[in-house]
Amino acid sequence: DLINVQNATANAVVASGEATQGNYSVTYKNNTLTITKADATALGLSATAYSGVYDANPHSISASATVTEGTTLYYSTVDPESEGFEESSWSTTAPTWTNVTTAQTVYVKAENSNYNTAYASATVTITPKAVTVTANSVTKVYDGTAATIPTENAATVEGTLGSDTVEYTVTFAEGTDLINVQNATANAVVASGE
């Protein structure tokens, strides 16, 4: 094998020729062939961060190596240079995040038997999606009793995804006349929450 990395292979380099050549008796000795690993940078490992707004889908970093043949990528959420790091922390499956999170670092390494191991890292950041909670208007016919917030459909929520929900409360603004006849009073019905 004249291409791939190998330790000193005995008698791989062969000298040969005539044993007797004029005034000389020639002895031929073979020697070893050694092919060492290429530098890690030659693997062309790159890692690209992900940053986006919450969309209910899982996300991770993007990683690739320019040398694909014989190269395997491994991922970890533990810094390989940290004390007590265990090799079992590496996985061929990239970790993902779906919910809002601040910069989560993903470490990646590329291994290939013909190259030194290459390392890189990138982060995953998911920011909150904007949601609007609009209190629905309240209308009633005067009957001498105070107006109340309906127990259902008290507000309209826009921006949530799938079955996601947000918590909120709907109340009347402090000081609002809840009994007597009045025209539409701006901001009298208040939606609030975290």
Side-chain angles (χ1 to χ4, degrees), residues 126-156:
I126 301 175
T127 56
K129 185 180 186 299
V131 172
T132 301
V133 179
T134 303
N136 292 331
S137 60
V138 175
T139 302
K140 67 166 291 187
V141 175
Y142 174 80
D143 62 3
T145 63
T148 59
I149 300 293
T151 55
E152 296 183 3
N153 299 319
T156 301

Side-chain angles (χ1 to χ4, degrees), residues 49-52 59-61 76-77 95-97 99-107 121-128:
Y50 172 83
S51 180
H59 296 282
S60 187
I61 65 167
S76 176
T77 55
T96 61
W97 288 265
N99 298 320
V100 169
T101 185
T102 54
Q104 297 290 334
T105 302
V106 179
Y107 301 91
S121 65
T123 58
V124 174
T125 302
I126 301 175
T127 56

Side-chain angles (χ1 to χ4, degrees), residues 70-91:
T71 301
T72 303
L73 298 183
Y74 297 89
Y75 304 86
S76 176
T77 55
V78 182
D79 186 346
E81 295 185 358
S82 62
E83 184 177 351
F85 177 80
E86 296 182 0
E87 286 298 314
S88 60
S89 297
W90 293 112
S91 170

Side-chain angles (χ1 to χ4, degrees), residues 110-184:
E111 288 191 344
N112 185 306
S113 60
N114 291 319
Y115 298 80
N116 287 311
T117 301
Y119 296 88
S121 65
T123 58
V124 174
T125 302
I126 301 175
T127 56
K129 185 180 186 299
V131 172
T132 301
V133 179
T134 303
N136 292 331
S137 60
V138 175
T139 302
K140 67 166 291 187
V141 175
Y142 174 80
D143 62 3
T145 63
T148 59
I149 300 293
T151 55
E152 296 183 3
N153 299 319
T156 301
V157 179
E158 296 179 338
T160 54
L161 301 173
S163 59
D164 290 351
T165 60
V166 294
E167 295 182 0
Y168 60 87
T169 59
V170 177
T171 59
F172 289 111
E174 186 176 350
T176 302
D177 184 346
L178 302 180
I179 297 177
N180 298 307
V181 172
Q182 55 190 289
N183 294 323

